[in-house]
Amino acid sequence: MNWRTQLRRTLQLQLVDRRISALTLERRQLMTDERTQALQRAIRTDQQQLEQTVAEWERLLRHQRVLELEHKGKLQERDRSVQRLYGGSMHNARDLDGLQKNIAGTEARIGELETEILETMERRDVLSEQRSKLEDSLARNRAALDQRSKEVQRRLGEVDGQLPSLQVDREERARQVDVTVLREYERMRGGLDGVVVAKVSESSCGLCGVELSAMVLNTLRHGEDLVRCEHCGRLLLDEP
Ligand SMILES: [Zn+2]
């Protein structure tokens, strides 16, 4: 048997197998694409924050309506009291004094309510700003996810288009390799990262770089047997 020819064919098979392995790995990565997952997580976070922001904004609006209602009531109460005070119907000094205190208390509450209404409006403004930022972020992330999904689908299409013909090519090449060599190749390739055949390069193993012994080089030259690298165990192909 011409080992050199066999190893050359095995090397061709190895090239196709490595291409298949790379594409299969890429396919698996595309199916669980990290970028897609990161964007999906970002979108979920945006949505949750947006919901919370909107809910808080609405809660504050309801609170503001309650304050405004009380404010309106207090204004009317004050106006009524002022009318009574200057209406000329009250003559008792103690009653007048009581009424004046009452008016002062109502006005203090009106002041408090106005401050609280203003603060509530300011907090709603801040939330509105947050909301529009979150909406922008959500729109950006959704667009990016859409774009990424298209890229993944396009690439998956390419990979799926290439794999079947590579498989056919692989089977054809495997048929051309001697059974003994093929069996050895299949047995070894799992543990050697798919690289079983190594070319000899300047008296060294082309893969691991170890310098080959005179005995190994001699056996290779005569081409009488399969020869392995003494260091990494790969099958050596000596191209004259
Ligand atoms: Zn080696």
Side-chain angles (χ1 to χ4, degrees), residues 205 208 229 232:
C205 168
C208 73
C229 166
C232 68

PDB file of all heavy atoms in Angstrom, residues 205 208 229 232, ligand 1:
ATOM      1  N   CYS A 205       7.560  17.603  13.226  1.00  0.00           N
ATOM      2  CA  CYS A 205       6.111  17.431  13.075  1.00  0.00           C
ATOM      3  C   CYS A 205       5.517  18.798  12.792  1.00  0.00           C
ATOM      4  O   CYS A 205       5.767  19.746  13.539  1.00  0.00           O
ATOM      5  CB  CYS A 205       5.536  16.843  14.364  1.00  0.00           C
ATOM      6  SG  CYS A 205       3.729  16.889  14.431  1.00  0.00           S
ATOM      7  N   CYS A 208       2.918  19.751  16.073  1.00  0.00           N
ATOM      8  CA  CYS A 208       3.392  20.055  17.430  1.00  0.00           C
ATOM      9  C   CYS A 208       4.811  20.627  17.409  1.00  0.00           C
ATOM     10  O   CYS A 208       5.288  21.145  18.417  1.00  0.00           O
ATOM     11  CB  CYS A 208       3.319  18.829  18.336  1.00  0.00           C
ATOM     12  SG  CYS A 208       4.578  17.588  17.983  1.00  0.00           S
ATOM     13  N   CYS A 229       4.013  10.752  14.931  1.00  0.00           N
ATOM     14  CA  CYS A 229       4.887  11.693  15.634  1.00  0.00           C
ATOM     15  C   CYS A 229       5.128  11.128  17.026  1.00  0.00           C
ATOM     16  O   CYS A 229       4.191  10.694  17.695  1.00  0.00           O
ATOM     17  CB  CYS A 229       4.220  13.063  15.719  1.00  0.00           C
ATOM     18  SG  CYS A 229       5.020  14.185  16.887  1.00  0.00           S
ATOM     19  N   CYS A 232       3.149  13.943  19.596  1.00  0.00           N
ATOM     20  CA  CYS A 232       1.690  14.143  19.646  1.00  0.00           C
ATOM     21  C   CYS A 232       0.918  12.941  19.097  1.00  0.00           C
ATOM     22  O   CYS A 232      -0.298  12.890  19.239  1.00  0.00           O
ATOM     23  CB  CYS A 232       1.292  15.421  18.898  1.00  0.00           C
ATOM     24  SG  CYS A 232       1.547  15.345  17.112  1.00  0.00           S
TER      25      CYS A 232
HETATM   26 ZN    ZN B   1       3.588  16.012  16.616  1.00  0.00          ZN
END
